DNA sequence: CGGTAGATTGATGAGAGTCAAGGGGAGTGG
DNA sequence: CCACTCCCCTTGACTCTCATCAATCTACCG
């Protein structure tokens, strides 16, 4: 089965160590697993520093990334659902875990911030579904760059914390297609890449057009 | 532009009539618009009978369907976000509208049922994103059939209320590919189609495997 | 100075999109 | 009751994009 190769690229057995615990904050080294499918549904997390990915593993070993989460972002809400995702550290990162009671159908009210987190997760996931619905690698990669630029301190300079494989699994493409599309953008002078992880947007307007 | 053709297939100008109002319940004829992007964010809806689709229209006229909603399902929560979707009646349907205050950051608690709706919308959207991330028409269509079967009174007999175009826009495929894939399933005796809208699952286990 | 993981590039083929031409089925009107 | 029409669906032929397989290339680290 040819797809087994891709699975090996992000073998989960590589991430087994226990995180350091310090005043409710958890630290994870790059690639470490933060929680896995079927974890404790009574907690959720906030990213303090670094970047986290939430993902789903298929039966055939293929991986699909649900989202990238930077400082301030909340993740792990999905645990309340049957939908179980796992989470891993894209880079060295610190996350804060919070316990909460899922009140079930108890009829009690819910703290506003929890509702707010749910709504933001919903918006994020809808945007992702919209992205995945696009046909064409160009549209997807352009949309991805725009998304990253929006979260960057300097919207013209993106520092990608994730690998090409991560991007591919997020966009529903292969690593080669992502790479080729970025090269294509560079040849067209839409972007410049000092290193593979440093992307400068030369023509944001043109990229905007490519998004759709 | 070749894609303009597809846009004409679901021209929104065809749906302009006002719905009948009766005790908070709204009735919509097939194809009618229930709300459009940028509508009143202070209401959400529950399907009483029939089926509703929520969708997004792109600049080039292409349509992407966010979800299908049957009796009991809640939709329109997205209105609270910048993410605006529109909603249309797939079949003749009745929906109940409810008003709610989006409390913003007021710090007050939120009624539990609202939170519950948000979480279910989140789960639904995540499942859809997972579906769209699949590569291959076979996987997508098989997953779609499984999804429909799960909501059907008889899990072995699906009555599709939506057109092939709806299905295609939901799966990120073309109408031809959806049609061909269903025909392929039928030739393989995985399903049987008395009419184009009546699908009998002959081999649910095999379809399950195709989902991946 | 290797060694390794990540990234790029090329060649090739499978699969989905596109364009185009028919087949029903349901409703309408004669 | 039949003919007509419109819309939806299906099927075929062809094109093109992207996945796949394979070979480097680069940067980083021991």
């Amino acid at each position: 089965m040819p797809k087994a190769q891709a699975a090996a690229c992000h073998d989960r057995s590589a991430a087994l160590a226990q995180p350091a615990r310090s005043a409710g904050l958890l630290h994870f080294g790059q690639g470490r697993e933060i929680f896995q499918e079927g974890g404790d549904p009574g907690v959720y997390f906030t990213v303090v520093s670094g970047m986290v990915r939430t993902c789903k593993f298929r039966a055939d070993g293929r991986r699909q990334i649900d989202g990238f989460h930077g400082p301030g972002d909340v993740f792990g809400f999905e645990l309340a659902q049957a939908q179980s995702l796992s989470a891993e550290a894209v880079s060295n990162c610190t996350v804060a875990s919070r316990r909460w009671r899922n009140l079930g159908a108890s009829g009690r009210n819910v703290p506003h911030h929890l509702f707010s987190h749910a709504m933001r997760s919903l918006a994020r996931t809808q945007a992702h579904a919209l992205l995945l619905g696009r046909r064409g690698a160009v549209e997807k990669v352009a949309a991805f760059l725009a998304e990253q630029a929006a979260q960057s301190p300097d919207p013209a300079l993106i520092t990608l914390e994730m690998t090409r494989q991560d991007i591919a699994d997020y966009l529903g493409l292969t690593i080669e297609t992502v790479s080729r599309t970025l090269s294509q953008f560079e040849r067209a002078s839409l972007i410049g890449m000092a290193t593979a992880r440093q992307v400068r947007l030369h023509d944001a307007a043109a990229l905007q057009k490519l998004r759709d």
Side-chain angles (χ1 to χ4, degrees), chain A:
Chain A
M1 183 175 298
K3 294 164 183 173
Q5 172 210 2
C9 295
H10 34 71
D11 192 331
R12 299 163 73 193
S13 65
L16 293 173
Q18 284 298 89
R21 185 178 292 269
S22 150
L25 293 182
L26 304 171
H27 298 281
F28 296 90
Q30 183 177 351
R32 291 295 159 79
E33 181 176 88
I34 297 173
F35 61 79
Q36 50 187 318
E37 307 183 19
D40 182 354
V43 294
Y44 69 92
F45 302 85
T46 304
V47 178
V48 175
S49 70
M51 179 166 275
V52 172
R53 60 174 176 252
T54 45
C55 42
K56 177 100 184 143
F57 291 89
R58 299 192 174 290
D60 64 358
R62 257 163 43 189
R63 183 185 66 169
Q64 186 159 346
I65 292 188
D66 173 69
F68 298 108
H69 310 274
D73 290 345
V74 169
F75 65 97
F77 245 77
E78 304 79 4
L79 294 175
Q81 306 292 137
Q83 295 284 347
S84 49
L85 299 176
S86 55
E88 299 167 348
V90 170
S91 59
N92 290 347
C93 65
T94 304
V95 306
S97 71
R98 301 241 171 85
R99 184 155 287 280
W100 64 299
R101 291 163 298 146
N102 187 6
L103 307 158
S106 71
R108 302 283 306 146
N109 285 356
V110 175
H112 181 271
H113 69 276
L114 290 179
F115 181 70
S116 174
H117 291 155
M119 289 302 275
R120 264 191 296 169
S121 292
L122 177 56
R124 188 183 55 70
T125 306
Q126 278 190 344
H128 189 208
L130 227 50
L131 210 180
L132 286 169
R134 292 169 191 269
R135 287 198 282 263
V138 169
E139 294 184 10
K140 285 182 175 178
V141 175
F144 172 75
L145 289 178
E147 194 176 286
Q148 294 299 305
Q151 294 170 331
S152 175
D154 177 355
L157 180 63
I158 306 170
T159 300
L160 298 172
E161 309 220 42
M162 69 292 288
T163 67
R164 295 290 192 267
Q165 183 70 58
D166 287 332
I167 299 173
D169 290 347
Y170 180 70
L171 297 178
L173 298 170
T174 61
I175 181 175
E176 294 96 332
T177 299
V178 170
S179 184
R180 266 189 261 268
T181 306
L182 286 171
S183 298
Q184 176 184 334
F185 286 171
E186 192 171 29
R187 277 194 300 275
S189 297
L190 298 176
I191 64 173
M193 291 189 286
T195 77
R197 306 290 187 95
Q198 288 282 332
V199 181
R200 180 165 292 281
L201 304 187
H202 288 145
D203 193 343
L207 280 172
Q208 170 67 26
K209 290 202 188 83
L210 289 180
R211 288 206 296 150
D212 157 0

